[in-house]
Amino acid sequence: MSFFEVKNIVKNFGGLRAVNDISFTMEQGEILGLIGPNGSGKTTIFNLINGFYPLTSGEIYFKGRRIDGLPPHKICALGIGRTFQVVKPLKRMSVLDNVMVGAFLRTSSIAMARARALDVLEFCGLYHRRDMDARNLTIADRKRLEIARALATEPQLLLLDETAAGLNPKETEEAIEIILKIKRAGITIIIVEHIMKVIMGISDRILAISFGREIAIGTPKEIVNHPEVIKAYLGEAYA
Ligand code: ADP
Ligand code: MG
Protein backbone atom coordinates (compact mmCIF):
# COMPACT_ATOMS: atom_id res chain seq x y z
CA MET A 1 0.00 0.00 0.00
CA SER A 2 1.32 3.43 -0.94
CA PHE A 3 1.03 6.34 1.44
CA PHE A 4 -0.76 8.28 -1.29
CA GLU A 5 -2.03 7.20 -4.67
CA VAL A 6 -3.70 9.02 -7.53
CA LYS A 7 -5.13 6.63 -10.10
CA ASN A 8 -6.16 7.67 -13.62
CA ILE A 9 -7.78 10.91 -12.54
CA VAL A 10 -9.68 12.96 -15.12
CA LYS A 11 -11.37 16.36 -14.78
CA ASN A 12 -13.53 17.92 -17.45
CA PHE A 13 -14.75 21.52 -17.28
CA GLY A 14 -17.47 21.49 -19.95
CA GLY A 15 -15.64 20.59 -23.14
CA LEU A 16 -12.18 21.19 -21.64
CA ARG A 17 -10.30 18.18 -20.25
CA ALA A 18 -8.17 20.02 -17.68
CA VAL A 19 -6.73 16.83 -16.12
CA ASN A 20 -6.30 13.87 -18.41
CA ASP A 21 -5.52 10.47 -16.91
CA ILE A 22 -2.93 11.41 -14.28
CA SER A 23 -1.54 8.64 -12.04
CA PHE A 24 1.22 8.60 -9.43
CA THR A 25 2.06 7.10 -6.05
CA MET A 26 4.02 8.57 -3.16
CA GLU A 27 5.87 7.18 -0.17
CA GLN A 28 5.67 8.90 3.20
CA GLY A 29 8.25 11.66 3.64
CA GLU A 30 8.75 12.26 -0.07
CA ILE A 31 8.63 15.62 -1.87
CA LEU A 32 6.98 15.39 -5.28
CA GLY A 33 7.37 18.42 -7.54
CA LEU A 34 4.53 19.11 -9.97
CA ILE A 35 5.52 21.24 -12.96
CA GLY A 36 3.92 22.31 -16.20
CA PRO A 37 3.21 25.46 -18.22
CA ASN A 38 0.45 27.86 -17.13
CA GLY A 39 -2.98 26.32 -17.50
CA SER A 40 -1.66 22.75 -17.67
CA GLY A 41 -3.82 21.58 -14.76
CA LYS A 42 -1.58 21.78 -11.67
CA THR A 43 -3.96 23.71 -9.41
CA THR A 44 -6.86 21.60 -10.66
CA ILE A 45 -5.00 18.46 -9.52
CA PHE A 46 -4.75 20.02 -6.04
CA ASN A 47 -8.45 20.89 -6.14
CA LEU A 48 -9.25 17.27 -7.01
CA ILE A 49 -7.01 15.87 -4.26
CA ASN A 50 -8.52 18.04 -1.54
CA GLY A 51 -12.08 17.45 -2.71
CA PHE A 52 -12.77 21.00 -3.86
CA TYR A 53 -13.87 19.61 -7.25
CA PRO A 54 -15.36 16.18 -7.87
CA LEU A 55 -13.45 13.89 -10.22
CA THR A 56 -14.88 13.18 -13.65
CA SER A 57 -13.31 9.75 -13.26
CA GLY A 58 -10.46 8.03 -11.44
CA GLU A 59 -9.62 7.25 -7.82
CA ILE A 60 -7.55 8.79 -5.01
CA TYR A 61 -6.28 6.84 -1.98
CA PHE A 62 -4.70 8.21 1.20
CA LYS A 63 -3.13 5.65 3.55
CA GLY A 64 -5.16 2.92 1.89
CA ARG A 65 -8.48 4.72 2.20
CA ARG A 66 -10.37 5.94 -0.83
CA ILE A 67 -10.90 9.69 -0.39
CA ASP A 68 -12.35 10.92 -3.70
CA GLY A 69 -15.97 11.89 -3.18
CA LEU A 70 -15.35 13.12 0.37
CA PRO A 71 -15.93 16.84 1.11
CA PRO A 72 -12.84 19.10 1.62
CA HIS A 73 -13.23 19.37 5.42
CA LYS A 74 -13.23 15.57 5.76
CA ILE A 75 -10.15 15.26 3.56
CA CYS A 76 -8.43 17.94 5.62
CA ALA A 77 -9.40 16.14 8.83
CA LEU A 78 -7.88 12.93 7.46
CA GLY A 79 -4.56 14.78 7.17
CA ILE A 80 -4.27 16.47 3.78
CA GLY A 81 -3.56 20.22 4.02
CA ARG A 82 -3.03 22.75 1.29
CA THR A 83 -2.08 26.31 0.51
CA PHE A 84 -3.68 28.41 -2.21
CA GLN A 85 -1.94 29.95 -5.22
CA VAL A 86 -3.91 33.13 -4.69
CA VAL A 87 -3.31 33.95 -1.04
CA LYS A 88 -6.54 34.64 0.83
CA PRO A 89 -5.92 35.39 4.49
CA LEU A 90 -8.83 36.52 6.60
CA LYS A 91 -7.65 40.09 6.36
CA ARG A 92 -9.46 41.73 9.23
CA MET A 93 -8.01 39.23 11.64
CA SER A 94 -4.61 39.11 13.29
CA VAL A 95 -1.96 36.74 12.01
CA LEU A 96 -2.41 34.61 15.15
CA ASP A 97 -6.20 34.39 14.73
CA ASN A 98 -5.74 33.36 11.09
CA VAL A 99 -3.60 30.43 12.15
CA MET A 100 -5.91 29.53 15.06
CA VAL A 101 -8.68 28.98 12.51
CA GLY A 102 -6.60 26.09 11.15
CA ALA A 103 -5.77 24.78 14.62
CA PHE A 104 -9.47 24.53 15.55
CA LEU A 105 -9.71 21.56 13.19
CA ARG A 106 -7.97 19.46 15.87
CA THR A 107 -9.23 21.02 19.10
CA SER A 108 -12.18 23.01 20.42
CA SER A 109 -10.05 24.46 23.23
CA ILE A 110 -9.07 28.08 22.64
CA ALA A 111 -5.95 27.67 24.79
CA MET A 112 -4.81 24.63 22.83
CA ALA A 113 -5.55 26.21 19.45
CA ARG A 114 -3.60 29.27 20.53
CA ALA A 115 -0.63 27.22 21.71
CA ARG A 116 -0.60 25.21 18.49
CA ALA A 117 -0.87 28.39 16.38
CA LEU A 118 2.00 30.06 18.24
CA ASP A 119 4.18 26.96 17.69
CA VAL A 120 3.43 27.00 13.99
CA LEU A 121 4.10 30.75 13.74
CA GLU A 122 7.47 30.21 15.39
CA PHE A 123 8.21 27.36 12.97
CA CYS A 124 7.38 29.58 9.97
CA GLY A 125 9.33 32.62 11.22
CA LEU A 126 6.18 34.67 11.79
CA TYR A 127 6.04 34.71 15.59
CA HIS A 128 7.05 38.38 15.74
CA ARG A 129 4.12 39.23 13.42
CA ARG A 130 1.48 37.40 15.47
CA ASP A 131 -0.52 40.47 16.50
CA MET A 132 -0.37 42.23 13.14
CA ASP A 133 -3.46 42.56 10.94
CA ALA A 134 -3.03 39.95 8.19
CA ARG A 135 -3.79 42.59 5.54
CA ASN A 136 -0.65 44.53 6.49
CA LEU A 137 1.73 41.65 5.81
CA THR A 138 4.22 41.74 2.93
CA ILE A 139 3.77 39.20 0.12
CA ALA A 140 6.53 37.04 1.58
CA ASP A 141 4.90 37.00 5.01
CA ARG A 142 1.49 36.28 3.47
CA LYS A 143 2.98 33.23 1.81
CA ARG A 144 4.39 32.16 5.18
CA LEU A 145 0.98 32.73 6.74
CA GLU A 146 -0.58 30.47 4.09
CA ILE A 147 1.86 27.73 5.04
CA ALA A 148 1.28 28.34 8.75
CA ARG A 149 -2.48 28.10 8.34
CA ALA A 150 -2.12 24.80 6.51
CA LEU A 151 0.37 23.44 9.08
CA ALA A 152 -1.97 24.34 11.92
CA THR A 153 -4.39 21.68 10.61
CA GLU A 154 -1.60 19.12 11.31
CA PRO A 155 -1.38 17.60 7.83
CA GLN A 156 0.54 14.44 6.99
CA LEU A 157 0.38 15.35 3.31
CA LEU A 158 0.77 19.02 2.39
CA LEU A 159 -0.03 20.54 -1.02
CA LEU A 160 1.94 23.73 -1.69
CA ASP A 161 0.74 25.82 -4.65
CA GLU A 162 3.36 28.35 -5.82
CA THR A 163 4.46 29.40 -2.35
CA ALA A 164 7.63 31.01 -3.72
CA ALA A 165 5.97 32.94 -6.57
CA GLY A 166 6.63 36.68 -6.39
CA LEU A 167 9.44 36.42 -3.85
CA ASN A 168 12.88 37.97 -4.17
CA PRO A 169 15.97 35.70 -4.08
CA LYS A 170 16.52 36.05 -0.33
CA GLU A 171 12.85 35.38 0.44
CA THR A 172 12.96 32.43 -1.96
CA GLU A 173 15.88 30.94 -0.02
CA GLU A 174 13.89 31.38 3.19
CA ALA A 175 10.86 29.69 1.60
CA ILE A 176 13.05 26.73 0.60
CA GLU A 177 14.32 26.51 4.19
CA ILE A 178 10.76 26.35 5.54
CA ILE A 179 9.78 23.65 3.03
CA LEU A 180 12.82 21.54 3.96
CA LYS A 181 12.00 22.01 7.64
CA ILE A 182 8.48 20.74 6.95
CA LYS A 183 9.98 17.69 5.24
CA ARG A 184 12.29 17.09 8.20
CA ALA A 185 9.22 17.17 10.44
CA GLY A 186 8.10 14.07 8.51
CA ILE A 187 5.41 15.68 6.37
CA THR A 188 4.95 14.43 2.81
CA ILE A 189 4.75 17.27 0.28
CA ILE A 190 3.48 17.90 -3.23
CA ILE A 191 4.78 21.23 -4.48
CA VAL A 192 3.78 23.28 -7.52
CA GLU A 193 6.42 25.84 -8.35
CA HIS A 194 7.61 27.68 -11.43
CA ILE A 195 11.01 28.61 -10.10
CA MET A 196 13.19 25.76 -11.39
CA LYS A 197 15.87 26.30 -8.76
CA VAL A 198 13.29 25.69 -6.05
CA ILE A 199 11.66 22.64 -7.60
CA MET A 200 14.87 21.00 -8.77
CA GLY A 201 16.65 21.61 -5.48
CA ILE A 202 14.08 20.15 -3.11
CA SER A 203 12.04 17.53 -5.00
CA ASP A 204 12.81 13.83 -4.66
CA ARG A 205 10.83 13.22 -7.85
CA ILE A 206 9.09 15.49 -10.33
CA LEU A 207 5.92 14.96 -12.34
CA ALA A 208 5.83 17.12 -15.47
CA ILE A 209 2.48 17.73 -17.15
CA SER A 210 1.28 19.55 -20.24
CA PHE A 211 -2.37 20.08 -21.24
CA GLY A 212 -3.46 17.96 -18.30
CA ARG A 213 -1.37 14.93 -19.30
CA GLU A 214 1.78 13.43 -17.84
CA ILE A 215 4.78 14.03 -20.07
CA ALA A 216 7.43 12.70 -17.69
CA ILE A 217 8.00 11.55 -14.12
CA GLY A 218 11.39 10.98 -12.55
CA THR A 219 14.25 12.46 -10.56
CA PRO A 220 15.07 16.15 -11.07
CA LYS A 221 18.07 15.11 -13.18
CA GLU A 222 15.93 12.92 -15.44
CA ILE A 223 13.31 15.64 -15.82
CA VAL A 224 15.63 18.55 -16.61
CA ASN A 225 17.07 16.65 -19.58
CA HIS A 226 13.80 15.19 -20.79
CA PRO A 227 13.04 16.24 -24.41
CA GLU A 228 9.25 16.49 -23.85
CA VAL A 229 9.76 18.74 -20.82
CA ILE A 230 12.14 21.01 -22.71
CA LYS A 231 9.66 21.18 -25.58
CA ALA A 232 6.73 22.05 -23.30
CA TYR A 233 8.69 24.90 -21.70
CA LEU A 234 10.20 26.24 -24.93
CA GLY A 235 6.72 26.01 -26.44
CA GLU A 236 5.47 28.32 -23.71
CA ALA A 237 8.41 30.70 -23.99
CA TYR A 238 7.91 31.10 -27.74
CA ALA A 239 4.11 31.17 -27.70
P1 ADP B 1 -2.30 25.61 -13.69
O1 ADP B 1 -2.48 25.62 -12.21
O2 ADP B 1 -1.41 24.52 -14.19
O3 ADP B 1 -1.85 26.94 -14.23
P2 ADP B 1 -5.17 25.20 -13.73
O4 ADP B 1 -5.34 23.88 -13.07
O5 ADP B 1 -5.49 26.40 -12.93
O6 ADP B 1 -3.72 25.30 -14.36
O7 ADP B 1 -6.09 25.23 -15.02
C1 ADP B 1 -6.10 24.18 -15.98
C2 ADP B 1 -7.15 24.48 -17.02
O8 ADP B 1 -8.45 24.32 -16.45
C3 ADP B 1 -7.09 25.89 -17.58
O9 ADP B 1 -7.43 25.86 -18.95
C4 ADP B 1 -8.15 26.61 -16.77
O10 ADP B 1 -8.67 27.70 -17.46
C5 ADP B 1 -9.19 25.52 -16.56
N1 ADP B 1 -9.97 25.68 -15.34
C6 ADP B 1 -9.47 25.67 -14.07
N2 ADP B 1 -10.47 25.80 -13.17
C7 ADP B 1 -11.62 25.92 -13.89
C8 ADP B 1 -13.01 26.07 -13.54
N3 ADP B 1 -13.41 26.13 -12.26
N4 ADP B 1 -13.90 26.14 -14.55
C9 ADP B 1 -13.51 26.07 -15.84
N5 ADP B 1 -12.24 25.90 -16.24
C10 ADP B 1 -11.29 25.83 -15.28
MG1 MG C 1 -2.09 27.07 -10.77
Side-chain angles (χ1 to χ4, degrees), residues 12-98:
N12 294 338
F13 291 116
L16 172 76
R17 182 154 288 194
V19 175
N20 193 348
D21 196 25
I22 293 290
S23 298
F24 61 88
T25 62
M26 291 181 76
E27 297 310 320
Q28 193 160 13
E30 220 189 343
I31 298 188
L32 179 74
L34 176 57
I35 65 169
N38 274 327
S40 57
K42 304 180 297 295
T43 297
T44 303
I45 290 173
F46 278 7
N47 285 328
L48 295 172
I49 292 172
N50 91 323
F52 197 69
Y53 295 143
L55 294 172
T56 298
S57 62
E59 294 158 32
I60 303 175
Y61 294 87
F62 180 55
K63 297 194 294 180
R65 173 177 179 170
R66 189 157 174 189
I67 61 161
D68 56 276
L70 297 178
H73 70 273
K74 285 237 170 85
I75 291 174
C76 190
L78 286 174
I80 301 181
R82 75 170 291 185
T83 65
F84 289 86
Q85 182 176 356
V86 180
V87 181
K88 288 183 209 148
L90 304 164
K91 292 186 182 176
R92 288 171 181 282
M93 281 165 59
S94 72
V95 167
L96 175 60
D97 287 346
N98 262 277

Side-chain angles (χ1 to χ4, degrees), residues 2-224:
S2 301
F3 179 71
F4 184 64
E5 179 174 15
V6 163
K7 223 169 156 179
N8 306 111
I9 60 169
V10 171
K11 180 63 184 176
N12 294 338
F13 291 116
L16 172 76
R17 182 154 288 194
V19 175
N20 193 348
D21 196 25
I22 293 290
S23 298
F24 61 88
T25 62
M26 291 181 76
E27 297 310 320
Q28 193 160 13
E30 220 189 343
I31 298 188
L32 179 74
L34 176 57
I35 65 169
N38 274 327
S40 57
K42 304 180 297 295
T43 297
T44 303
I45 290 173
F46 278 7
N47 285 328
L48 295 172
I49 292 172
N50 91 323
F52 197 69
Y53 295 143
L55 294 172
T56 298
S57 62
E59 294 158 32
I60 303 175
Y61 294 87
F62 180 55
K63 297 194 294 180
R65 173 177 179 170
R66 189 157 174 189
I67 61 161
D68 56 276
L70 297 178
H73 70 273
K74 285 237 170 85
I75 291 174
C76 190
L78 286 174
I80 301 181
R82 75 170 291 185
T83 65
F84 289 86
Q85 182 176 356
V86 180
V87 181
K88 288 183 209 148
L90 304 164
K91 292 186 182 176
R92 288 171 181 282
M93 281 165 59
S94 72
V95 167
L96 175 60
D97 287 346
N98 262 277
V99 179
M100 282 177 71
V101 170
F104 278 123
L105 181 73
R106 303 283 170 206
T107 179
S108 52
S109 148
I110 292 176
M112 281 175 70
R114 191 184 163 84
R116 170 74 191 163
L118 288 170
D119 273 356
V120 168
L121 286 170
E122 169 94 65
F123 185 93
C124 293
L126 268 183
Y127 188 82
H128 61 301
R129 300 267 187 253
R130 62 193 178 281
D131 295 323
M132 206 186 231
D133 240 28
R135 68 182 137 184
N136 294 330
L137 291 177
T138 62
I139 290 287
D141 282 343
R142 279 184 197 205
K143 296 274 186 185
R144 286 169 200 263
L145 177 58
E146 264 296 296
I147 295 174
R149 285 171 71 192
L151 285 177
T153 68
E154 301 183 30
Q156 296 167 43
L157 172 65
L158 179 61
L159 315 177
L160 297 173
D161 200 351
E162 302 204 21
T163 45
L167 304 186
N168 70 33
K170 178 166 169 285
E171 293 163 346
T172 301
E173 285 302 323
E174 290 163 357
I176 292 172
E177 265 319 300
I178 292 173
I179 295 164
L180 291 175
K181 248 169 83 180
I182 295 170
K183 179 184 161 96
R184 286 198 294 275
I187 298 172
T188 309
I189 298 170
I190 308 179
I191 178 169
V192 166
E193 193 50 74
H194 278 298
I195 305 169
M196 282 297 139
K197 192 182 155 212
V198 175
I199 206 99
M200 292 294 162
I202 66 179
S203 302
D204 297 301
R205 283 185 307 145
I206 292 173
L207 168 63
I209 65 171
S210 179
F211 297 106
R213 275 183 183 281
E214 174 186 321
I215 52 175
I217 186 162
T219 62
K221 222 180 192 158
E222 287 163 351
I223 292 300
V224 80

